[in-house]
Amino acid sequence: MTAPPRSVAGSPADSRPGAAAPSLPSVTATTGSSLAVQVMAAVRRAITAGEMEPGRLYSVQQLASAMDVSRSPVREGLLRLGEAGLIRFHRNRGFEIVEVSPTDVAEILAVRTALEVPAARRAARLAQPEELGRVRAQWEALHGAARAGDLEAAAEADAGLHRLLLLLAGNSQAVQLVERLRTTTSFLGVVAAPSRRPVGELAREHDALVRAVLARDEAAAAGAMREHLAATAQRLVAQALRAQRAPEERVDELTAQVWDAAAAGY
Amino acid sequence: MTAPPRSVAGSPADSRPGAAAPSLPSVTATTGSSLAVQVMAAVRRAITAGEMEPGRLYSVQQLASAMDVSRSPVREGLLRLGEAGLIRFHRNRGFEIVEVSPTDVAEILAVRTALEVPAARRAARLAQPEELGRVRAQWEALHGAARAGDLEAAAEADAGLHRLLLLLAGNSQAVQLVERLRTTTSFLGVVAAPSRRPVGELAREHDALVRAVLARDEAAAAGAMREHLAATAQRLVAQALRAQRAPEERVDELTAQVWDAAAAGY
DNA sequence: GAACCGTGGGTAGCATGTCACCCACCGGCG
DNA sequence: CGCCGGTGGGTGACATGCTACCCACGGTTC
C-alpha cells in the first residue's frame, strides 16, 4: 500500500562501523501505520528482547539497514524516543539506550499517584451511570484475562481501566500524560513478573478500587488507588533493581527505601 | 553556512492551494541551534502574532518556502509540535493549529496543582540550606524583574522558581512534565496580561510561598502553592476565554466555572 | 436542475544525495 | 618511549527527488 517493496541494498554481512554492534534489532513485522511508529515499536521490542543494550552506541544508518527501510522514518522515530528520554544522542557518534533507573521508576509512579488518586476521587463523584457500566465491563475483562492467565491481555485491561478512570475524572491532559509515563515504564519489560502469582493478585488489587467507584465512595476510591499504585510501584522498582544486578537479598529493602523516598508527600 | 540561499520559488502572490492562507509565518531570524528548533519558535511566534490561526490548513512546503529552508527541518519541528498536541496533521491535506481551549488550560493547571502542591511540601521538608539560598536568589530575581517592569524576565524567573522547587522535591520526571505543560500554555500568549498590575502582583503571590519554604513550613508552602496556581489558572483561563471571543461581561463568571469544574478534588 | 464520476493539483511520507563536523586511529617528531 | 598533528571513516542535519493518496472542481449524464 504505502511502501513499495524497494530492492534496497541492505547490509551484506559486514556491519563494520567502528563501535557499532552486530545486533539485529528486528525488522518491521507489524503493519500498523507510519514507518516511524513501527520503528519505535521495533526498537522497544529489541530492548526488551535484549538485542539492544544501554552500553553500546547505535546509529540511524545501522538500524535503517537492519530494518530494511530508509533513514528518514528511522531518524524520525528515534527522535521521538529521544524526546521521551528513552534514548540519548551523542552528536556525530550515535545514540545510546538510556537505562531506566529504579529511581526514575519510583518518580514516575509518584507522579502517577499525584494524578490518579485525585482522578479516582473525581471519577467516583462525577461518573454517569452508563460510564460506571463501562468501568464494570473493563474490570470484568481484566478478571477474564487473569483467569485465562493471559498476562498481556491483563496488562492491557489494567491500562484500559486506569485510562477510563482518568477519563471519567474529566481531565484529558492527565490521560495523555499518564499514557506517556506508562510507555516509559513499559520499556522495562513488557510484563511485570514472569509467572509468580501476579495475574490473580493484579486483578484482585483492582477489586476494592472498582467497588469504591461503583459505590461512589470517593474516599475509598482514592485510598484504593493509592494502595494499588504503591503495590505496582514496588513491583516495578524491584524489577528495575534486578535489571541493574542488585543483590537479590537486598532487593526488598532497597525497593522500600527507593519508593518511600520518592513517594513521601504525594 | 548551512543553507545556501536558494532562489526559492516562494508563492508570488497567488496562494492558490485550496484552503491555504497568504500568511507569512516569519522567517528564521534567531540563530540558535538546529533549524527544526528555530522552526518551532517561528511557528509559535506566528501563532501568538496572529499570523497563523486555528481554522486554516497549512502545509510543510508552504512554511519551508516562506522560511527559506528545506522541508526536512520544517517537518521535523512540526512533528514535535504535533506530539505536544499543538498542531494536528491531516494526512495528505496539511496541518492545522490546535486551539487551546479554556478547558484545556484549566486541566493543565489542575495537573500542575496535583504535581506542584506536593512538590512544594517536599521542597520545604527536603531542601538543603544552600538550596534554600538558590530559592531566595531566584525569588529576588523575580522581584527585580517585576520592579523593572520586564514582563518577559519576570515570566522566566517565575518559571525558574517553579522548576527549582520541583527539583528540590527530588522528582526530575515531574520537572520535565511541568516544563512540557508550560510550553503548551505559553502558546496562548507570551505574556499574560498586557499592562494591568500583574507584574507586582505576580511577584507578591510568590512571597508567601517562598517564605513558607524558607521557614520549612510544609503546610503553608503547600497552601501557598495551591493559591498561587489557582490565581495563575484564572488568569490564563480568562485569557483563553477572551481569545475565543467570549463576551467580556461573562468572562469572570465563566472563568470561575471552568476552573472550579477542572480543579475540584486536586 | 441534481447526482455522478473522471481528472488534476496538492500533500504527507519515504528514499536518497550531500555536507560539515567529530572522533579514533596512526605515523612521525621530539 | 610519549606526545601531537594529520587523516579518514562515520554520523547527524539538511536538501531534494519521488510516489501513493486525497480532495476539490468541473464536465457529463439522467
Side-chain angles (χ1 to χ4, degrees), chain B residues 36-242:
Chain B
V37 175
Q38 297 182 35
V39 167
M40 293 175 63
V43 170
R44 176 183 157 180
R45 263 185 279 126
I47 294 176
T48 60
E51 295 170 0
M52 296 178 74
E53 48 185 29
R56 293 202 187 313
L57 277 179
Y58 303 89
S59 78
V60 171
Q61 173 71 58
Q62 183 186 4
L63 284 193
S65 301
M67 299 179 57
D68 201 23
V69 294
S70 86
R71 303 173 323 229
S72 300
V74 174
R75 171 176 162 81
E76 185 180 316
L78 290 176
L79 282 174
R80 283 205 225 174
L81 291 180
E83 200 179 355
L86 297 168
I87 67 177
R88 185 181 305 140
F89 278 85
H90 299 264
R91 53 176 288 147
N92 299 335
R93 302 246 354 245
F95 68 90
E96 150 188 46
I97 312 292
V98 171
E99 188 153 23
V100 181
S101 73
T103 303
D104 290 332
V105 175
E107 289 181 1
I108 287 174
L109 268 295
V111 168
R112 285 188 55 187
T113 300
L115 294 179
E116 297 198 51
V117 168
R121 191 179 357 249
R122 283 171 61 91
R125 186 188 332 165
L126 302 173
Q128 303 296 317
E130 93 259 10
E131 293 172 336
L132 290 180
R134 292 173 58 199
V135 172
R136 179 184 291 277
Q138 190 75 37
W139 179 40
E140 286 166 358
L142 174 57
H143 269 285
R147 269 195 304 275
D150 187 343
L151 281 182
E152 194 167 345
E156 192 170 342
D158 178 16
L161 188 54
H162 283 263
R163 180 168 42 234
L164 184 54
L165 289 178
L166 281 165
L167 217 55
L168 296 190
N171 194 320
S172 58
Q173 298 288 330
V175 175
Q176 292 176 28
L177 287 182
V178 170
E179 209 65 27
R180 192 185 302 264
L181 291 175
R182 188 190 299 277
T183 301
T184 301
T185 49
S186 76
F187 258 68
L188 267 182
V190 194
V191 267
S195 62
R196 294 264 190 183
R197 78 187 89 172
V199 255
E201 201 171 310
L202 181 74
R204 216 168 321 125
E205 268 180 32
H206 288 82
D207 288 0
L209 172 59
V210 170
R211 267 197 279 270
V213 171
L214 292 181
R216 298 189 167 288
D217 185 338
E218 300 183 20
M225 178 64 90
R226 183 180 295 278
E227 276 186 38
H228 167 50
L229 285 176
T232 302
Q234 309 219 10
R235 271 196 297 270
L236 291 175
V237 169
Q239 188 173 347
L241 281 167
R242 293 196 181 91

Side-chain angles (χ1 to χ4, degrees), chain A residues 24-42:
Chain A
L24 51 155
S26 161
V27 278
T28 38
T30 61
T31 163
S33 45
S34 105
L35 284 184
V37 175
Q38 297 182 35
V39 167
M40 294 175 62

Side-chain angles (χ1 to χ4, degrees), chain A residues 154 190 262:
Chain A
V190 195

